[in-house]
Amino acid sequence: MRYLSTRGGVEPLTFTGAVMAGLAADGGLFLPDPVPAVDESTLERWAGLSYPRLAAEVIGMFTDDLDPAVLAGLLDRSYAVFTHPEVTPLVDCGGFHVLELFHGPTLAFKDVALQFLGNLFEHLLERDNGWMNIIGATSGDTGSAAIHGVRGRKGINIFILHPHGRVSPVQALQMTTVTDANVFNIAIRGTFDDGQAIVKAILGDSGFKERYRLGAVNSINWARIVAQVVYYIHAALRLRREQGAQTVDFSVPTGNFGDIFAGYVARMMTGGLIGRLILATNANDILSRFVNQGVYARGTVVQTLSPSMDIQVASNFERYLFYLYGRDPQRVAEAVNRFAAEGSISFSPSERELIKRQFAAASVGEEETLATIRKVHGERGYLLDPHTAVGVAAALRHRRGGVPVVCLATAHPAKFGDAVRKAIGRDPDPPPPLAGLDRLESRCEILPADENEVRRYLAAHALTGREGKGGTGAR
Ligand SMILES: *Cc1c(COP(=O)(O)O)cnc(C)c1O
């Protein structure tokens, strides 16, 4: 299995090479070539497997330089921390199904991938006697899932910047109550954009980056995508087994195009098992406009009730372009440059037709989001978080007779209590991981929004390879 850059400017890498590199040196994203195809007898064999066993089979098709027994062990450990025995259970809401992806430690779907990535990083660093420092800026969900993915791991320190006083109290506590020695929370006196600009500037300094072996954990890492492919196949096989479904549609609350791209890969692997992907956005509609109008054009970001989707440039979109353009990296590079210069990319009539066969899309406003939470709660007694509600609203618009539709539930409603209160007039009950969080010890460094201050802090606390085996992250 070779991993190519979407822009074609680097030598192919192995799976573990692509995972450790994150972004390709030419600025592109790594993709497997070719995407493996799964035949009918394999699907039959997979149909009865538990989540971690299926994950080992699916991910194993993409990892020829990782021992299968080691991979299975990493996956067992990753999903043992989920609080539901099925890991990602499917709930029948009458007319649609909800795939609950929020039973991990931070109650958002990002745990499914970041628990695996944390275990994978630790294993690869241990194997190669390596070490690294992870740095990232967060507006909430990604930072806490990344912290929980690498807490207490050997050979990794993690530094996450969040805007002081500007993330929800729950999100702040989910980060700052992790007091493992290898976790460093930095609250910046500034905005999320200030934090992100500081991280970008530091990662752009190649000398500093090399000295501290800085790595990133955003959704461009291939290991995150491949971990998400698993739950599409798991859910579709379950509906096939239990209801005889020939094909299953999926509705996906979308921001950076990472989650829905995993669905696209699952569809490429399994042919007709997965039908149409319904791309659901909030008012930040760059991707729904892309599907419905055939133009990918930047807009301005507006704040919504589903903040993890308040994005107007989707970093994983480039991966889809690679396949849309018939795996031609030259064309991807041209399109990316055009977008950088002009703020838009347009598509030919035949491309538009292809896009519409693969996706349906809807942009869902605030009122419809709240009404959907209220309606599903009233009619079915099931409480949706605002991100999931966007997906459910889109599914209700686009569902097809005779084809089951699965809505990805990307967060637990208790994580977004304000929106839920607006919809149904009361707070959701806190699940065990959130109850009592405010009574735990917490640790956080408050710094001005100043690159040099952050560099000094990093230099004082980063692993440098001189700690001896295990670094400061040793349990
Ligand atoms: C990150 C996130 C999304 C968007 O996922 P993408 O992979 O960026 O499209 C949706 N919902 C929640 C709750 C998230 O945290």
Side-chain angles (χ1 to χ4, degrees):
M1 174 72 60
R2 307 179 308 159
Y3 283 82
L4 310 178
S5 163
T6 47
R7 300 188 196 172
V10 299
E11 288 298 310
L13 293 181
T14 62
F15 172 77
T16 59
V19 167
M20 293 313 290
L23 200 67
D26 62 355
L29 307 182
F30 284 107
L31 278 174
D33 187 60
V35 170
V38 183
D39 60 26
E40 193 47 48
S41 65
T42 305
L43 286 178
E44 265 163 40
R45 189 165 56 78
W46 283 0
L49 297 181
S50 70
Y51 192 89
R53 288 280 81 82
L54 179 67
E57 294 277 336
V58 173
I59 299 173
M61 296 189 85
F62 293 88
T63 60
D64 42 12
D65 62 341
L66 200 60
D67 179 62
V70 168
L71 175 65
L74 297 176
L75 289 161
D76 280 347
R77 267 194 280 151
S78 301
Y79 298 120
V81 302
F82 278 59
T83 55
H84 197 286
E86 288 170 52
V87 183
T88 61
L90 198 57
V91 178
D92 187 347
C93 278
F96 62 95
H97 300 263
V98 171
L99 180 59
E100 294 184 342
L101 303 174
F102 52 68
H103 293 282
T106 73
L107 306 177
F109 87 99
K110 292 188 171 73
D111 288 327
V112 177
L114 282 164
Q115 285 295 317
F116 171 58
L117 187 64
N119 278 306
L120 182 60
F121 272 154
E122 184 181 53
H123 166 73
L124 295 177
L125 292 170
E126 219 160 21
R127 187 188 73 180
D128 304 334
N129 244 324
W131 53 275
M132 74 190 293
N133 294 286
I134 290 171
I135 179 171
T138 189
S139 56
D141 281 349
T142 306
S144 62
I147 286 171
H148 284 262
V150 304
R151 65 183 297 181
R153 298 201 185 281
K154 295 188 271 297
I156 310 176
N157 279 4
I158 184 166
F159 300 82
I160 295 291
L161 281 63
H162 70 264
H164 185 48
R166 297 187 201 217
V167 299
S168 81
V170 167
Q171 287 178 324
L173 286 169
Q174 281 185 315
M175 294 189 275
T176 60
T177 56
V178 180
T179 54
D180 299 69
N182 70 329
V183 173
F184 299 88
N185 277 289
I186 303 173
I188 291 290
R189 291 190 201 280
T191 62
F192 165 66
D193 290 334
D194 293 334
Q196 195 165 43
I198 291 171
V199 168
K200 266 199 170 159
I202 292 176
L203 285 172
D205 175 347
S206 55
F208 195 85
K209 187 176 171 198
E210 265 166 46
R211 175 150 19 109
Y212 294 105
R213 301 196 186 166
L214 295 181
V217 283
N218 41 20
S219 65
I220 50 128
N221 198 300
W222 172 255
R224 285 186 63 180
I225 304 286
V226 78
Q228 293 172 191
V229 171
V230 177
Y231 48 71
Y232 286 91
I233 299 177
H234 191 250
L237 285 176
R238 180 167 160 189
L239 288 175
R240 180 196 260 203
R241 192 174 72 237
E242 292 179 357
Q243 307 187 354
Q246 292 299 306
T247 186
V248 178
D249 289 349
F250 284 85
S251 182
V252 189
T254 296
N256 256 322
F257 205 78
D259 204 1
I260 198 164
F261 182 74
Y264 180 76
V265 173
R267 191 173 180 272
M268 280 196 278
M269 291 176 76
T270 60
L273 178 64
I274 291 163
R276 215 154 46 147
L277 297 165
I278 301 168
L279 190 159
T281 67
N282 59 27
N284 297 288
D285 62 351
I286 179 169
L287 288 166
S288 44
R289 280 185 284 123
F290 156 69
V291 173
N292 290 326
Q293 295 163 24
V295 183
Y296 183 73
R298 194 178 293 164
T300 44
V301 179
V302 298
Q303 279 191 5
T304 71
L305 296 165
S306 42
S308 299
M309 292 151 59
D310 292 347
I311 290 168
Q312 283 282 23
V313 184
S315 46
N316 275 288
F317 186 66
E318 186 171 335
R319 285 191 159 116
Y320 174 68
L321 284 182
F322 182 81
Y323 295 106
L324 182 68
Y325 290 153
R327 299 160 61 219
D328 180 350
Q330 211 70 45
R331 286 195 66 198
V332 177
E334 278 164 25
V336 168
N337 289 337
R338 204 171 330 123
F339 184 74
E342 297 165 17
S344 77
I345 311 172
S346 42
F347 297 90
S348 72
S350 65
E351 285 162 353
R352 290 183 192 198
E353 204 179 299
L354 182 61
I355 294 162
K356 285 210 164 174
R357 271 208 305 278
Q358 296 169 336
F359 298 98
S363 161
V364 177
E366 303 288 85
E367 279 312 312
E368 192 178 352
T369 303
L370 292 174
T372 305
I373 296 175
R374 204 174 300 127
K375 177 171 136 76
V376 174
H377 184 253
E379 290 175 5
R380 313 294 312 187
Y382 188 86
L383 197 51
L384 302 169
D385 106 287
H387 303 79
T388 308
V390 167
V392 169
L396 295 178
R397 278 194 223 167
H398 284 294
R399 67 184 154 177
R400 305 185 281 173
V403 179
V405 61
V406 171
C407 300
L408 269 49
T410 51
H412 190 287
K415 253 194 122 159
F416 297 94
D418 285 352
V420 170
R421 197 178 321 114
K422 271 194 187 140
I424 63 164
R426 68 167 180 82
D427 282 312
D429 301 327
L434 293 186
L437 208 55
D438 53 350
R439 291 194 299 273
L440 293 179
E441 183 196 344
S442 77
R443 198 157 60 86
C444 182
E445 184 78 17
I446 302 171
L447 292 180
D450 179 277
E451 186 191 329
N452 286 322
E453 294 269 353
V454 175
R455 274 176 190 259
R456 264 199 291 281
Y457 183 82
L458 247 130
H461 300 279
L463 292 178
T464 59
R466 290 191 298 266
E467 292 81 7
K469 213 165 167 13
T472 63
R475 260 189 245 252

